[in-house]
Amino acid sequence: KMAVISFLKRVSVCVPTVPVKNLNGSSPVHPALAGITGILMSAAALPVCLTRPPKLVLHPPPVSKSDIKPVPGFGHCCRKTTKKQARKGKTPEEVVKKYLQKVKSPPEEDCTICMEPLGGPSGYKGPGVGPVSRAESVGRLAQCGHQYHFQCLVAMYNNGNKDGSLQCPTCKTIYGVKTGNQPAGKMEYHVIPHSLPGHPDCKTIRIIYNVPPGLQGPEHPNPGKPFTARGFPRHCYLPDSERGRKVLRLLLVAWDRRLIFSVGTSSTTGESDTVIWNEVHHKTEFGSNLTGHGFPDPGHLDNVLEELRAQGIIEDDGLMEK
């Protein structure tokens, strides 16, 4: 018997344990395989090491009011938005013409909006677009050079926010200042005395978004119909570093232009007529990254800057946010 025990001890030194770092399936070792292996090894009196899954940390430790500080370089800590103000003056045709150059001889290619040849008439047959002369039937967007039927561009503009801006459907270049249909709400931001994973040398900027439910306006998918607002207030986090503060300045520009949220159909719940994120990713998980919405994430700030750029918000816009 003593010889058997001595043998098992020698074997246990040579055989590695089987760790299961995450029992929910995100471990490199599949939970079912690790479980079966653990049973077999236990039966053979071999060592098995099972660990609990990492803990989800959505919020920071409690913070007293006296520990909450303004973000350095910001003279304010709150921003509100109101309902969209009606823009008067230029007609859709006048807005589109402002960004177009005339084309004498259209190329032998299709308009990527209606998929009809540029040399022929527009394929758009819907309301809200009047007839145009042949000389104005095709236009070239001044900055990117892509060409479309004039009537197709006017129809596209009429189906958007009609805010005086135009976005090229091919390369997404934005002409004018793009605004969204974010409902009225409140954005708060301040510094809390805790560090994010991956940013041990600085404190944390906490952003709190609060958007209440309400009725959809003319810029929303179903005007006059109620919309819901789930999960508010929403808490988001940035490192209180120079780059983190740059991102905050541009997020404030996006908030003022009503581009942080939108009204539409939730990709997670399938609920329609509800407030949703609008293609600018935020980190809502404070002390872990189990959902992919937390830290550490070395590329997060660069990704947000790129997403804001796609919305027409560039670093020069942040210079005005002092």
Side-chain angles (χ1 to χ4, degrees):
K1 184 175 181 180
M2 294 298 294
V4 172
I5 293 174
S6 177
F7 170 76
L8 290 176
K9 286 183 177 179
R10 289 198 301 274
V11 172
S12 67
V13 173
C14 302
V15 179
T17 60
V18 179
V20 180
K21 294 183 178 180
N22 194 340
L23 298 179
N24 65 8
S26 63
S27 168
V29 180
H30 192 282
L33 176 60
I36 294 172
T37 305
I39 292 172
L40 294 176
M41 293 181 71
S42 296
L46 299 177
V48 179
C49 176
L50 297 179
T51 59
R52 293 185 178 276
K55 185 179 180 182
L56 181 68
V57 183
L58 288 176
H59 302 292
V63 179
S64 65
K65 288 186 177 180
S66 61
D67 287 333
I68 295 175
K69 305 296 182 182
V71 180
F74 289 70
H76 37 69
C77 60
C78 177
R79 190 70 61 90
K80 293 183 179 181
T81 58
T82 56
K83 293 183 179 180
K84 182 178 180 181
Q85 300 296 318
R87 291 175 177 262
K88 298 180 180 180
K90 294 186 177 181
T91 66
E93 287 81 3
E94 289 172 332
V95 171
V96 172
K97 284 181 180 179
K98 182 170 65 172
Y99 305 122
L100 289 182
Q101 297 172 339
K102 291 184 178 181
V103 176
K104 293 181 179 180
S105 300
E108 294 183 2
E109 58 186 52
D110 291 342
C111 170
T112 56
I113 298 177
C114 69
M115 303 310 296
E116 295 293 336
L118 287 170
S122 167
Y124 177 75
K125 305 299 181 185
V129 181
V132 295
S133 66
R134 182 170 181 82
E136 294 181 323
S137 63
V138 175
R140 178 190 295 109
L141 288 171
Q143 185 175 337
C144 64
H146 290 110
Q147 301 181 40
Y148 304 95
H149 289 119
F150 176 75
Q151 289 174 308
C152 291
L153 287 173
V154 173
M156 185 183 75
Y157 179 83
N158 279 329
N159 287 328
N161 285 340
K162 294 186 281 292
D163 59 357
S165 73
L166 191 69
Q167 186 166 19
C168 175
T170 299
C171 66
K172 307 306 179 184
T173 297
I174 296 173
Y175 296 82
V177 177
K178 179 181 178 181
T179 60
N181 64 5
Q182 175 181 291
K186 183 179 181 182
M187 175 183 179
E188 299 178 74
Y189 39 95
H190 48 248
V191 173
I192 57 175
H194 300 293
S195 297
L196 293 164
H199 298 275
D201 299 329
C202 61
K203 298 178 181 179
T204 297
I205 297 171
R206 179 169 60 185
I207 303 171
I208 303 176
Y209 292 114
N210 206 343
V211 177
L215 292 178
Q216 297 183 53
E219 71 274 28
H220 294 135
N222 297 297
K225 185 177 179 181
F227 66 84
T228 58
R230 310 292 185 190
F232 288 96
R234 299 185 186 183
H235 291 218
C236 307
Y237 305 96
L238 290 169
D240 183 29
S241 61
E242 181 179 353
R243 196 157 180 80
R245 291 190 286 271
K246 176 192 291 186
V247 170
L248 176 60
R249 291 187 191 281
L250 296 183
L251 287 176
L252 285 168
V253 176
W255 175 262
D256 289 342
R257 296 182 187 177
R258 305 175 68 206
L259 293 168
I260 299 292
F261 296 102
S262 181
V263 173
T265 300
S266 170
S267 60
T268 55
T269 66
E271 181 181 9
S272 59
D273 300 305
T274 191
V275 178
I276 58 176
W277 291 105
N278 188 39
E279 300 180 3
V280 178
H281 285 85
H282 287 64
K283 294 297 189 180
T284 55
E285 191 177 347
F286 175 80
S288 55
N289 196 15
L290 298 185
T291 65
H293 301 299
F295 295 90
D297 184 348
H300 173 61
L301 298 180
D302 288 336
N303 291 339
V304 174
L305 290 173
E306 188 60 35
E307 290 165 347
L308 289 166
R309 193 174 297 113
Q311 298 283 359
I313 299 172
I314 58 177
E315 294 188 15
D316 287 347
D317 294 320
L319 298 176
M320 297 181 292
E321 289 296 327
K322 295 295 184 181

